[in-house]
Amino acid sequence: MELIDGNHIAQEVLDELKGKVSAFECGKPCVTFVRVGDDPASISYVRKKEKTAASLGIDARLLVFPSTISENQLLEEIDRLNGDISVHGILVQAPLPPHINDVQIFNRVSPAKDVDGFNAVNLGKLCQEQPDAFRSCTPAGIIELIKRTGIETAGKRVVVLGRSLIVGKPIGMLLLNRSIPGNATVTFCHSRTHNLPALTREADLLIAAIGKPHFVTSDMIKPGCAVIDVGINRVPDSSRKSGYRLVGDVDFEQVAPKTSHITPVPGGVGPMTVAMLMANTVQAFEQSLKQP
Ligand code: GUN
């Protein structure tokens, strides 16, 4: 079994990006984060993204709004950022309060500044296999892990657990596409799937993105399968100062010995998400330079 070191691979990506950013002669990329409310996980994710951007020489700005902001006010703020030529990337941190339609917000972000890849235009471009599409950060990070670890996907059976807009659907599409890695036979499983373990046992590569702690157990795995665990679940742990610890969607202790490769939680997919946000911001900056 090979442990996939997401921290190490993310650092490789960041080092490459840092070199690229320092070589730009006409300005530097700028990403603006929009946070609504005080969700503790969102605060910590956005802080991590800001710090990483700063370490690469990317200009990171933060706008924070109260959870009482109306959908129209938030849409107006996004219009303002869309029209600000000094901003190359816009990221509205999810989850948003329940009175705000998140899809409406994601679709308002200019496709050219949509470093999250949640806009319908970029999701459509992903289906069309257009190279200028922004790929959402977690799926793009998984692709990079697979590529740099040398896991073969062409002709293989991939099972994706979960059908979210942020992870499940786009990672399935990316692995279906004719890119490298890609060309896989992809099956999506979800809460309404019948006899799910029989399907996961067929997988050569299993991607778990359902947000249920330790959902994947060893009886659900074919020996030699590669496993990517996207789950970041907080479970109570009184022995920790924070009162919680992070666990994945996979029961790592049980499953790891049966796999060819596996990502840990934390230290697997998580750091890659942040690194690929930086890659998307650099891509947005480069594409803005090519605009007429
Ligand atoms: N919330 C959890 N993951 C993400 C992400 O990748 N982007 C945004 N905007 N919000 C998230």
Side-chain angles (χ1 to χ4, degrees):
M1 181 273 289
E2 181 184 333
L3 192 65
I4 302 174
D5 186 344
N7 284 316
H8 181 78
I9 297 176
Q11 194 56 53
E12 277 180 8
V13 172
L14 293 173
D15 289 345
E16 290 162 18
L17 289 170
K18 192 169 184 174
K20 221 171 174 180
V21 172
S22 67
F24 287 136
E25 285 171 357
C26 41
K28 59 179 177 176
C30 168
V31 59
T32 298
F33 302 109
V34 176
R35 206 188 78 219
V36 180
D38 296 318
D39 173 54
S42 290
I43 292 174
S44 111
Y45 291 148
V46 171
R47 192 171 292 147
K48 176 82 189 150
K49 292 171 187 177
E50 283 182 273
K51 270 191 173 167
T52 307
S55 76
L56 299 187
I58 292 175
D59 184 11
R61 303 178 192 166
L62 172 64
L63 295 176
V64 179
F65 299 106
S67 57
T68 51
I69 191 172
S70 72
E71 189 173 285
N72 274 335
Q73 282 171 310
L74 190 56
L75 289 169
E76 277 173 23
E77 293 293 342
I78 290 169
D79 287 343
R80 203 176 51 71
L81 293 170
N82 285 341
D84 181 344
I85 58 163
S86 72
V87 173
H88 308 105
I90 301 168
L91 182 143
V92 183
Q93 183 68 26
L96 290 168
H99 67 277
I100 295 178
N101 179 337
D102 55 2
V103 170
Q104 180 136 331
I105 300 295
F106 298 147
N107 283 346
R108 191 68 156 248
V109 173
S110 161
K113 298 188 179 188
D114 176 32
V115 287
D116 246 339
F118 296 167
N119 184 291
V121 169
N122 281 309
L123 288 163
K125 283 185 174 183
L126 202 72
C127 290
Q128 293 178 334
E129 307 191 33
Q130 293 204 36
D132 68 335
F134 286 107
R135 302 170 303 169
S136 55
C137 304
T138 301
I142 296 169
I143 291 293
E144 211 57 37
L145 285 179
I146 293 172
K147 193 189 281 179
R148 294 183 189 232
T149 311
I151 295 169
E152 183 58 72
T153 59
K156 302 288 185 183
R157 293 289 302 262
V158 172
V159 173
V160 178
L161 293 182
R163 51 176 160 176
S164 70
L165 197 63
I166 295 186
V167 183
K169 283 183 189 143
I171 188 60
M173 186 60 64
L174 283 166
L175 289 169
L176 172 69
N177 281 351
R178 294 165 184 80
S179 38
I180 299 171
N183 289 307
T185 302
V186 180
T187 304
F188 291 93
C189 295
H190 47 81
S191 54
R192 305 292 293 271
T193 297
H194 288 176
N195 205 359
L196 185 144
L199 292 167
T200 59
R201 275 195 291 271
E202 302 230 327
D204 302 304
L205 170 61
L206 179 68
I207 302 196
I210 38 169
K212 292 198 173 130
H214 290 176
F215 179 85
V216 177
T217 46
S218 61
D219 56 308
M220 294 165 69
I221 299 284
K222 176 169 78 176
C225 172
V227 175
I228 306 277
D229 188 352
V230 187
I232 303 179
N233 307 292
R234 289 184 174 199
V235 299
D237 185 342
S238 56
S239 72
R240 302 283 175 104
K241 204 169 78 184
S242 61
Y244 69 86
R245 71 192 151 91
L246 297 178
V247 303
D249 290 349
V250 176
D251 187 335
F252 184 90
E253 299 297 320
Q254 250 193 46
V255 169
K258 274 185 93 171
T259 64
S260 65
H261 302 78
I262 188 166
T263 58
V265 176
V269 174
M272 292 305 295
T273 297
V274 180
M276 297 318 286
L277 171 65
M278 302 302 136
N280 281 355
T281 302
V282 168
Q283 182 185 332
F285 178 71
E286 289 176 324
Q287 287 174 190
S288 80
L289 299 176
K290 290 189 201 129
Q291 294 303 310

